[in-house]
Amino acid sequence: MSERRDAVEFVGLDLGHGETALGRAYGRSMREPEILEYRGERSFVTAVAQTDKGLKIGADAVNLAALGGGQAQVWVKFKDRDLSAGDVEKPTRLFTQELIKGLSKDGKIRGAKQSKFVIGCPSGWDKDTRARYQALFEDAGLKSVRIVPESRAALMTALEQGYLTLDAARASVLIVDIGSSTTDFTYCRDLDAEDVGHNFLGSGLLDTEIFDLNLARQSERAKIEKLIKRFPHYRPIMEYWCRQVKEQFFNGEGAAVEMIKRLPIDGGVLFDIRFDQDDADEVLSRPLEALNGFTWPAAFSFALKETIDNLGGRAPETVLLTGGASRLPLVLPACEKAFPKARIVRGAEPEFAIARGLAWLGRFEHLHASFKLSVAELMGVDGPVHNKAAAASAALGQSLAPVLVDALTEHCIVPAFRDWRRGKIDSLDQVEAALADRVKSWLSSVEAQATLRPIIKGWFAGLQRKIEQDTDPLCRDHGLPAMVLSLDDSQHVSRHLEGLTVAAPRVASLESDTALLGTSLTAIIIGALLAHANLLAPLLTNPIGLVVSGAVGGAGFLFGRKALEGKFRSANVPVIARQVMTDTRIRKAAHKQRGALIEAVTEAWDSAASERFTEELTQTLSTALSERADDRAILFLI
């Protein structure tokens, strides 16, 4: 039994170099994904500690009291594309296992086997790296894993939260994702992403500087350094404290921030961390060895210039800032300077944009796949749309036949006999060939289009309404507007009807170009008109027969009707004798056989055209509906 759409749980995992956040969404819920808490924190440090008492992650992994003061192996800032490295693979696996176990135990998620995980990665990671990253999480016990570029998740959140319109997203967007370890630049046009910059300019570099700045101030610095030398894992813990102070300062009003931590030295040595505006100015103006002697602001400005070069003259209309470090006050002015004509956008909670976007993407792709599968089922051989198309195909012949007979009588039959009457055609036998040419020419004319358009348009409109009886409920079932699959857009449909042959008829476009072309149709129409019904029979009754008998046989030599008809068809009758076959008589003769002609054309359609037309019509509708489903995929974002 398939899983209900509304029961599917999607967990977006933004495992960052510095901090981790998770978002959760359900298959049919239209609510914004919620950010999950772990140990009371919505965003928690990406850290894992292996101790004698087991694994600890998040704040517990950087809590000296929680570690018990003994030996422990602590990993912090371990996210890296070199997934084969032991200090990357092992902590990532341990962190994931402990995180999912804890969330499952607390009832926050369904679990490693039941939840579907959508996990972010830097846009600069190639396909092979993403595959290895996915395998790592699968080895950690997650059953359903999808790896998605973080830039895509950021774009999804901006769309869903209204920071970007669909038009803006389809135009050109530069996504600047500033994390703890890297800054990624991704250029998107028409929702297609391109990596245009990836560097190791992360805000974590500032954490190290803040730690060094505060370590130099400590009255018992020597003891602290001795502690770090003995227990190296203490340093990343203390840098994490410095990051907390940094975030409080930059996220606040610029007021000084102070944090005091007790270290397990001689009964407890205090580590006093202070950070104010003067400290911020000093840290941001320091040349950093990791940046080849550049300051952080200078390196960021250089990265923007490098991105401009990589864009090759393409100017983004929007610059989307994401990642917690995008709150740094220097980021917005630098982007405004680099892209003066662009609109700079940053959400209210950029630190959660990736986690929310990943959960949204999981739900979006799930709904879209379910939607397309449902459309395919409608178009199956035994599906309701297929059956309605088959019935409509048969009905089309009945609708076309009377219009074709009347139009061909006036535009082909009468003119052909008129040419014979005027001597342009030698015999009635030759009228058939002339009539064939006229039918073929007329069917491809603008006049034919104008004649047949109302019939075909009305027929197709009726078919559309019947199809919508099935497609509208499907759309509503997926949370979409009812008319999403409407085929009212004739241009959309006609693209697929260009090559539609109806075995006999060829419909170039059911709505806009209603010319019926092709030698097969011509043969059917001519056969119906000239073979299935004897148009000449009413013309060979009195008084025409008498006149003709004299003209052909001469001197009162009379033929029987059958003989006369045969002789008459091949004879080169004098022009003066032909004048009795006026246009009025031709029309009356055709009118007498109108019913038989309509029946003949309908039978010709049913036997030679309807079945193949049904096949090609259903294939055309299937293609049109599938593309319409793809075209409207973006509506799942609304």
Side-chain angles (χ1 to χ4, degrees), residues 11-75:
V11 177
L13 173 56
D14 179 20
L15 194 158
H17 188 72
E19 291 187 318
T20 293
L22 299 99
R24 180 182 60 190
Y26 291 102
R28 283 285 301 280
S29 173
M30 294 298 109
R31 294 177 57 189
E32 179 175 296
E34 57 186 320
I35 298 300
L36 300 177
E37 290 186 355
Y38 181 79
R39 300 290 192 267
E41 293 183 312
R42 301 169 76 211
S43 177
F44 47 94
V45 61
T46 305
V48 57
Q50 197 166 31
T51 71
D52 296 338
K53 298 180 181 180
L55 290 176
K56 298 185 182 298
I57 66 171
D60 290 343
V62 291
N63 185 325
L64 297 183
L67 296 180
Q71 292 291 340
Q73 188 172 8
V74 179
W75 291 274

Side-chain angles (χ1 to χ4, degrees), residues 322-634:
T322 188
S326 65
R327 294 178 182 273
L328 290 173
L330 63 94
V331 171
L332 185 62
C335 290
E336 289 175 337
K337 182 178 179 181
F339 302 100
K341 295 183 179 180
R343 174 174 172 252
I344 312 298
V345 177
R346 181 177 59 198
E349 293 183 310
E351 62 271 29
F352 299 124
I354 304 299
R356 281 199 175 98
L358 292 169
W360 257 316
L361 276 170
R363 180 170 66 195
F364 161 73
E365 292 176 348
H366 172 73
L367 283 176
H368 185 216
S370 172
F371 187 56
K372 290 199 69 175
L373 179 62
S374 298
V375 171
E377 290 173 349
L378 286 182
M379 292 303 307
V381 175
D382 296 323
V385 173
H386 182 279
N387 294 336
K388 289 178 180 180
S393 298
L396 178 59
Q398 298 175 359
S399 300
L400 283 177
V403 179
L404 279 171
V405 167
D406 292 343
L408 293 175
T409 296
E410 191 63 33
H411 297 287
C412 300
I413 295 174
V414 171
F417 278 100
R418 185 183 299 138
D419 286 347
W420 172 80
R421 188 174 67 240
R422 293 174 178 173
K424 295 180 180 180
I425 301 176
D426 291 339
S427 67
L428 288 175
D429 277 335
Q430 296 175 9
V431 170
E432 284 193 33
L435 181 56
D437 290 339
R438 281 185 174 275
V439 170
K440 182 177 180 179
S441 175
W442 183 81
L443 286 173
S444 62
S445 69
V446 174
E447 193 172 12
Q449 295 181 39
T451 300
L452 299 176
R453 181 180 292 114
I455 302 302
I456 297 178
K457 189 172 183 178
W459 165 82
F460 189 66
L463 176 58
Q464 283 179 271
R465 301 291 83 80
K466 292 178 181 178
I467 290 175
E468 285 165 3
Q469 292 173 0
D470 297 298
T471 58
D472 284 1
L474 186 152
C475 294
R476 287 192 292 267
D477 189 45
H478 285 78
L480 296 175
M483 296 298 287
V484 162
L485 286 179
S486 173
L487 298 177
D488 281 331
D489 179 0
S490 61
Q491 183 178 5
H492 180 90
V493 179
S494 64
R495 286 205 313 270
H496 307 291
L497 302 178
E498 289 292 335
L500 181 61
T501 63
V502 249
R506 177 175 182 270
V507 181
S509 165
L510 290 180
E511 286 193 318
S512 57
D513 180 10
T514 54
L516 296 176
L517 305 174
T519 56
S520 299
L521 176 61
T522 304
I524 285 181
I525 298 300
I526 293 171
L529 293 177
L530 300 181
H532 292 280
N534 183 5
L535 184 64
L536 296 178
L539 302 177
L540 296 174
T541 57
N542 288 327
I544 299 176
L546 296 178
V547 176
V548 171
S549 66
V552 176
F557 181 76
L558 300 177
F559 294 91
R561 172 175 288 200
K562 292 183 179 180
L564 176 63
E565 182 180 340
K567 292 274 187 180
F568 184 46
R569 288 175 66 91
S570 60
N572 188 352
V573 179
V575 173
I576 190 172
R578 304 180 189 190
Q579 303 309 306
V580 295
M581 299 183 75
T582 63
D583 289 354
T584 300
R585 291 181 183 276
I586 297 294
R587 291 189 179 96
K588 286 182 178 180
H591 181 71
K592 286 183 179 181
Q593 294 195 82
R594 184 175 183 271
L597 290 171
I598 290 173
E599 183 179 353
V601 172
T602 302
E603 289 178 357
W605 173 273
D606 292 341
S607 62
S610 182
E611 183 177 350
R612 185 171 167 190
F613 181 78
T614 298
E615 179 182 344
E616 296 194 18
L617 174 63
T618 53
Q619 180 59 47
T620 296
L621 289 173
S622 179
T623 302
L625 287 172
S626 294
E627 283 207 4
R628 179 54 57 92
D630 283 333
D631 288 347
R632 296 302 183 260
I634 196 68

Side-chain angles (χ1 to χ4, degrees), residues 39-325:
R39 300 290 192 267
E41 293 183 312
R42 301 169 76 211
S43 177
F44 47 94
V45 61
T46 305
V48 57
Q50 197 166 31
T51 71
D52 296 338
K53 298 180 181 180
L55 290 176
K56 298 185 182 298
I57 66 171
D60 290 343
V62 291
N63 185 325
L64 297 183
L67 296 180
Q71 292 291 340
Q73 188 172 8
V74 179
W75 291 274
V76 179
K77 301 180 181 179
F78 50 79
K79 183 176 180 179
D80 193 274
R81 70 190 308 161
D82 185 9
L83 301 174
S84 61
D87 57 353
V88 176
E89 185 276 334
K90 183 177 180 179
T92 302
R93 176 169 45 81
L94 295 177
F95 179 84
T96 301
Q97 290 172 335
E98 191 66 17
L99 173 62
I100 301 307
K101 184 175 73 173
L103 290 172
S104 302
K105 184 179 179 180
D106 293 343
K108 301 289 181 63
I109 64 172
R110 292 177 180 165
K113 304 299 183 184
Q114 293 78 29
S115 304
K116 296 184 181 297
F117 295 89
V118 187
I119 302 173
C121 74
S123 300
W125 285 14
D126 58 27
K127 184 177 180 180
D128 291 339
T129 304
R130 294 178 192 180
R132 292 196 301 272
Y133 200 46
Q134 177 174 332
L136 194 162
F137 286 102
E138 290 171 344
D139 291 342
L142 306 189
K143 182 178 180 180
S144 175
V145 178
R146 172 123 159 74
I147 305 300
V148 174
E150 291 159 354
S151 59
R152 241 190 109 196
L155 189 62
M156 174 70 80
T157 295
L159 281 167
E160 286 282 9
Q161 292 187 330
Y163 296 113
L164 279 185
T165 64
L166 286 176
D167 289 340
R170 287 188 180 279
S172 57
V173 181
L174 177 66
I175 301 172
V176 183
D177 182 11
I178 310 173
S180 295
S181 62
T182 64
T183 296
D184 294 319
F185 298 90
T186 306
Y187 179 75
C188 297
R189 186 168 188 83
D190 201 22
L191 303 180
D192 289 330
E194 174 190 349
D195 178 35
V196 290
H198 174 80
N199 55 60
F200 297 100
L201 180 64
S203 64
L205 295 173
L206 301 178
D207 303 341
T208 301
E209 296 303 312
I210 296 173
F211 169 76
D212 289 341
L213 180 67
N214 279 276
L215 179 60
R217 296 170 175 166
Q218 304 305 309
S219 59
E220 299 194 67
R221 175 178 178 178
K223 290 184 179 181
I224 297 174
E225 290 178 335
K226 185 178 180 180
L227 177 69
I228 294 174
K229 185 175 182 180
R230 183 180 177 187
F231 302 106
H233 62 274
Y234 277 24
R235 173 163 182 141
I237 293 174
M238 297 167 78
E239 287 190 7
Y240 169 67
W241 296 337
C242 292
R243 185 198 328 171
Q244 290 181 309
V245 169
K246 176 195 71 178
E247 291 174 351
Q248 289 181 39
F249 175 80
F250 286 120
N251 293 344
E253 300 295 328
V257 177
E258 185 172 10
M259 177 187 292
I260 299 175
K261 294 289 185 178
R262 184 179 298 276
L263 300 175
I265 311 170
D266 296 336
V269 172
L270 299 181
F271 183 59
D272 185 6
I273 309 170
R274 291 180 290 108
F275 196 68
D276 56 23
Q277 187 60 55
D278 290 338
D279 294 330
D281 294 340
E282 180 178 346
V283 167
L284 292 174
S285 63
R286 280 186 178 184
L288 304 182
E289 183 179 350
L291 299 178
N292 296 319
F294 287 95
T295 65
W296 204 97
F300 184 71
S301 296
F302 179 80
L304 288 172
K305 293 176 182 177
E306 192 174 48
T307 299
I308 293 173
D309 292 339
N310 292 337
L311 287 172
R314 295 171 295 177
E317 296 178 20
T318 305
V319 175
L320 174 62
L321 303 179
T322 188

